Amino acid sequence: MTDTSFPTDFLWGTATAAYQIEGAVTEGGRGESIWDRFSHTPGMVYQNQNGDLACDHYHRYREDIRLMKAIGLRSYRFSTAWSRIFPAGSGKINPPGLDFYQRLIDELLAAGIVPMITLYHWDLPQSLQDKGGWKNRDTVKYFTDYAGTMFDRFCDRVHLWITHNEPWVVSFLGHDSGLHAPGIQDRKSALEVSHNLLLSHAYAALLFGEYRRAASNIGITLNIAPAYPNSDSPEDEQAARYYDGYQNRWFLDPVFTGRYPEDMLEVYQKQFNAPLVEAEDLNAFQKSRIDFLGVNYYMRKLVCRPEDKGELFTELRPNYPGVQFTDMDWEVYADGLYTLLTRIQRDYDPPVIYVTENGIACSDRVDDDGQIRDEARIAYLRDHFSAAHRAMQEGVKLKGYYVWSLIDNFEWAYGVSKRFGIVYVDYKTQARTLKSSAHWYREVIGNSGF
Ligand code: FCB
């Protein structure tokens, strides 16, 4: 018995995403994606870095699976690159793209590691962006076709499917702040995009019904940030409710209840004077169902009443004795994970939850003896695993936990300047080295707790 013991069949894993690790962007018939275009546009990514090579995982996946085995991982979450399967986003299938994922999946299964596929982790084929991207409703249909192609080929051996990773990020960082590809700055577009993403999720989940086998599961991954009011004044509390509506309920409600939250619909309709939703869309929301919810947790939000008129809230940087920030400048707040898991179980009651991402960027360095002593990462993971464990004690149906990330990788607009891996990557040689946290994680998995 350990202090914090987890079920023996708990899915301990790590997560990655195609553009962040694969490289080989012009190999195997792969088409251009919006992240290729964005990262090659001067000024968009730190030091104008790009994912052309990234971790060269396309060529080194066997070695990476050996690392997973050495750590004792039970599951591995990765994303498939749409533009490897459909180089132009729709139309002709590219068989070498499917073959690459076939090799990866078979190698994982041979190693006894359960694959979990994310279909969309932000790398839209550029040809579809040229036709309006996620603002164009046709993209919903193309996504569903792509999803169907993947189900058809792999549903016999892959039983955990995720339609989208963090549609909030795609919508608001991609189309409102413009910090991510495709770099658009227009809030109304961001809302339209969020709707089309949710709709494409619903249609793909409906289609999944045709491929469903006994053990098949489909879900969606949302990045949920519990919102805390800065004081108990009614204005600050309203600001926190709005933040929750903007980032969390706007995505959770359609998935679980088949409709958008009333308060947010009202606000957005006033702001943009646009009916966003057609009746048939709600029908699709209502008919689709998920088998699990994926939760990515990195931070909470501290908010107060809006400083600018016309805004709904103002975000604050937490400032209290002992507050800690990661290398991303994100506050470390493990209790937020407990709060959000118990809240989701209470308010939405998903059949199963997986933490599909959680982790920390640290300024890791290799010591003279070749070791990477990332004690801060171990402390972070221990505290977050404990928070998850506490939530499970209270009835949260958490069945697995995927640490972000297996290896250091291309962190979007930050390039390779941020290290999230439990395995260190030397980008000059592509050599991989297990950090202390990977050794620690192996113990946790082996002991089903700590
Ligand atoms: C999440 C993304 C993932 C990675 C982590 C740090 O928002 O899903 O790709 O960038 O943040």
Side-chain angles (χ1 to χ4, degrees), residues 17 20 121-122 165-166 169 296 298 330 357 404 411-412 420:
Q20 296 182 273
H121 203 125
W122 308 351
N165 179 69
E166 303 188 349
V169 169
N296 289 358
Y298 291 97
W330 295 346
E357 285 181 31
W404 185 273
E411 179 48 38
W412 310 112
F420 273 94

Side-chain angles (χ1 to χ4, degrees), residues 88-363:
S90 65
K92 252 185 99 195
I93 295 182
N94 174 48
L98 286 169
D99 294 345
F100 168 65
Y101 293 113
Q102 178 92 51
R103 291 195 295 277
L104 176 68
I105 291 163
D106 287 347
E107 194 85 14
L108 285 167
L109 292 173
I113 297 168
V114 174
M116 175 187 264
I117 288 185
T118 307
L119 290 168
Y120 189 71
H121 203 125
W122 308 351
D123 44 357
L124 187 74
Q126 181 62 40
S127 319
L128 295 186
Q129 188 60 45
D130 296 341
K131 297 181 199 148
W134 282 109
K135 267 193 75 168
N136 180 352
R137 275 178 80 101
D138 291 346
T139 302
V140 173
K141 181 187 171 313
Y142 298 139
F143 175 77
T144 316
D145 291 346
Y146 156 58
T149 304
M150 300 305 281
F151 299 153
D152 196 44
R153 172 81 176 241
F154 298 119
C155 74
D156 61 335
R157 60 198 71 193
V158 176
H159 299 143
L160 293 170
W161 294 87
I162 291 169
T163 52
H164 283 284
N165 179 69
E166 303 188 349
W168 176 85
V169 169
V170 177
S171 308
F172 290 95
L173 298 194
H175 300 81
D176 182 14
S177 68
L179 294 171
H180 277 194
I184 291 167
Q185 296 182 345
D186 174 43
R187 193 163 299 173
K188 186 172 177 202
S189 296
L191 279 170
E192 288 166 3
V193 164
S194 70
H195 179 61
N196 287 341
L197 290 166
L198 285 160
L199 198 55
S200 72
H201 157 76
Y203 281 121
L206 277 169
L207 181 64
F208 189 71
E210 294 173 23
Y211 296 90
R212 194 181 283 283
R213 307 262 196 294
S216 304
N217 295 281
I218 194 148
I220 185 169
T221 281
L222 303 177
N223 56 315
I224 298 162
Y228 292 71
N230 190 43
S231 77
D232 55 13
S233 75
E235 293 86 354
D236 285 0
E237 281 180 356
Q238 179 56 45
R241 246 190 317 279
Y242 276 142
Y243 193 91
D244 185 52
Y246 155 71
Q247 183 170 336
N248 306 330
R249 289 183 286 117
W250 186 254
F251 297 89
L252 286 161
D253 283 17
V255 168
F256 285 100
T257 71
R259 52 167 81 164
Y260 286 104
E262 286 298 330
D263 58 338
M264 300 313 292
L265 264 186
E266 206 182 301
V267 167
Y268 291 148
Q269 249 142 23
K270 243 186 248 150
Q271 282 180 344
F272 302 109
N273 191 25
L276 290 158
V277 186
E278 295 173 19
E280 65 181 86
D281 301 352
L282 289 179
N283 200 15
F285 285 165
Q286 266 144 23
K287 282 201 299 208
S288 69
R289 69 175 174 95
I290 54 169
D291 303 297
F292 66 88
L293 178 70
V295 169
N296 289 358
Y297 178 70
Y298 291 97
M299 66 192 101
R300 65 154 175 171
K301 287 287 167 179
L302 185 66
V303 295
C304 68
R305 74 198 75 181
E307 273 159 15
D308 294 335
K309 253 185 112 202
E311 294 292 337
L312 302 174
F313 47 78
T314 294
E315 290 179 43
L316 299 171
R317 184 181 164 84
N319 177 15
Y320 52 88
V323 62
Q324 284 177 15
F325 294 92
T326 73
D327 205 33
M328 296 290 282
D329 207 27
W330 295 346
E331 182 198 12
V332 177
Y333 197 76
D335 198 53
L337 179 58
Y338 166 82
T339 302
L340 90 84
L341 288 174
T342 47
R343 180 268 176 114
I344 287 173
Q345 196 69 61
R346 187 179 61 237
D347 289 358
Y348 297 96
D349 198 24
V352 168
I353 302 179
Y354 295 106
V355 171
T356 42
E357 285 181 31
N358 170 245
I360 174 173
C362 301
S363 50

